[in-house]
Amino acid sequence: MPILMRFCAGYTHTPYRDFILDPAAHCRSNIDCARAFGSDWVNVMSDPYGELEAYGAEIEYPENSLPLDKVILFDTPESLKRLKEIDFMAHRRIRGRLEELSLFRQELGDSTAICGWVEGPMAEYCDLRSMQNAFLDLYDEPELVHETLELLCCNAEHFISAQIAAGANMIGIGDAACSQLGAEFYESFAWELERRLVEHIHRSGVLAKLHICGNTAAILPRMAATGADILDVDHLVGDMTRFAGELNDHQVFCGNLDPVLDIQNADPAAIEAAGRRLLAALPGKLLLSGGCEITPETPPENLLALSRAGQPEYSIR
């Protein structure tokens, strides 16, 4: 279940602006890559700014590189009160994501995992305020932070429901900023909201995937306690087997090869061997992937080797 964004666009010769903004181009690129590389999912991931733009940010979309957010949208804690006036669900990026899920469902039916996505409340708070300001707010304005996180979580719940109605049978929660919080602040500000989103997803009968990249060793047991079915684990965590006892019967890890050293820069035989070692170490409890996004510089034959590691009889369809 590799995270394919810039690699996906590059492999299918799709300008990245189109990959982000054109639902038909995004879906075609994802489906073509899933079929070419034996990937077990398609998803709506492209960048973290879709929801931020819906909250009022002015995002620049270069033709063939990552989008740019050049201004702190809420430059003071007090300015966050404007959030109550935003019609989040009416925005073009939000509507575009729903269209992507509908297109995926039309073409793929029930044949594969179709993953929607929401920014976790803490990640979105950091996008709204910048990470530096956000982390100062945790000390200086904790009540305002909690109030804002509650609003962001409510919007995320509505967005999740809309994505499931559009065709998602899995929802990812991206809360990467939490790897920088430390265990105490994670527990105080983020964990309960992530657990709430997971429960909301489960009430709709679909799977929940929690993505927090970075070194999450200090919080991984609590991540498991959210109940998410799939827990993404970055290579910075190191040996995942020490946390296997935290998983319940329906939970699995997803990861955790280094996207650069173990996938981009390795030779195919080494990639295949490393993937099979990981799967053997966590039998039945691992979805094979890089610890985070597959880099756009990754040779296609290396991604094929990753696929072979999980599919011994693999052949290109």
Side-chain angles (χ1 to χ4, degrees), residues 52-254:
L52 183 64
E53 189 175 89
Y55 285 118
E58 294 185 5
I59 307 299
E60 180 182 336
Y61 296 98
E63 181 179 4
N64 224 0
S65 63
L66 293 170
L68 302 172
D69 173 31
K70 296 183 177 180
V71 177
I72 297 174
L73 182 57
F74 295 92
D75 57 355
T76 66
E78 294 74 22
S79 65
L80 288 165
K81 295 175 182 178
R82 301 201 311 268
L83 280 172
K84 294 183 176 65
E85 303 170 3
I86 292 171
D87 186 0
F88 175 77
M89 292 297 295
H91 193 267
R92 63 163 184 166
R93 290 289 310 273
I94 304 304
R95 294 194 306 270
R97 186 166 299 177
L98 301 180
E99 184 178 346
E100 288 169 3
L101 291 165
S102 179
L103 290 170
F104 278 141
R105 178 63 67 183
Q106 289 172 31
E107 177 149 349
L108 299 172
D110 296 322
S111 67
T112 193
I114 299 172
C115 188
W117 204 267
V118 293
E119 292 297 300
M122 181 54 65
E124 193 60 46
Y125 189 91
C126 290
D127 285 343
L128 296 171
R129 288 278 290 129
S130 82
M131 185 171 284
Q132 176 177 313
N133 289 335
F135 283 8
L136 290 173
D137 290 349
L138 301 182
Y139 288 96
D140 299 337
E141 301 281 353
E143 291 185 8
L144 179 61
V145 173
H146 280 298
E147 179 182 338
T148 304
L149 290 172
E150 173 66 23
L151 175 61
L152 297 175
C153 189
C154 286
N155 279 346
E157 287 175 328
H158 293 313
F159 192 20
I160 285 168
S161 294
Q163 290 185 77
I164 294 170
N169 53 24
M170 177 190 297
I171 298 289
I173 303 166
D175 221 0
C178 291
S179 66
Q180 307 302 304
L181 282 181
E184 182 178 348
F185 278 152
Y186 177 70
E187 189 73 26
S188 298
F189 289 96
W191 180 82
E192 175 59 30
L193 297 178
E194 290 174 356
R195 183 197 64 79
R196 184 170 130 191
L197 291 179
V198 168
E199 289 190 350
H200 182 79
I201 294 165
H202 284 164
R203 281 195 296 272
S204 297
V206 305
L207 296 173
K209 177 180 173 75
L210 179 58
H211 177 87
I212 304 178
C213 49
N215 188 347
T216 56
I219 64 171
L220 197 49
R222 296 303 287 156
M223 289 171 60
T226 64
D229 305 279
I230 301 168
L231 300 169
D232 284 2
V233 183
D234 204 339
H235 72 279
L236 294 168
V237 170
D239 180 13
M240 291 182 288
T241 61
R242 58 192 167 131
F243 297 105
E246 306 293 340
L247 299 175
N248 62 32
D249 289 344
H250 72 82
Q251 290 179 303
V252 297
F253 290 138
C254 184

Side-chain angles (χ1 to χ4, degrees), residues 2 4-14 19 26-42 303-304 307 314 316-317:
L4 302 178
M5 294 187 287
R6 291 174 297 162
F7 175 94
C8 190
Y11 180 78
T12 59
H13 307 290
T14 305
F19 188 82
H26 180 94
C27 291
R28 175 48 49 205
S29 182
N30 258 267
I31 292 169
D32 286 352
C33 265
R35 288 172 173 165
F37 297 101
S39 179
D40 290 317
W41 71 332
V42 293
L303 194 54
L304 284 171
S307 183
Y314 173 76
I316 298 177
R317 286 174 284 174

Side-chain angles (χ1 to χ4, degrees), residues 37 257 262-263 266-276 288 299-311 314:
F37 297 101
L257 295 174
D262 294 334
I263 301 176
D267 66 76
I271 295 166
E272 191 169 342
R276 289 184 174 171
L288 191 59
E301 57 267 27
N302 288 17
L303 194 54
L304 284 171
L306 184 68
S307 183
R308 284 195 300 272
Q311 304 175 48
Y314 173 76

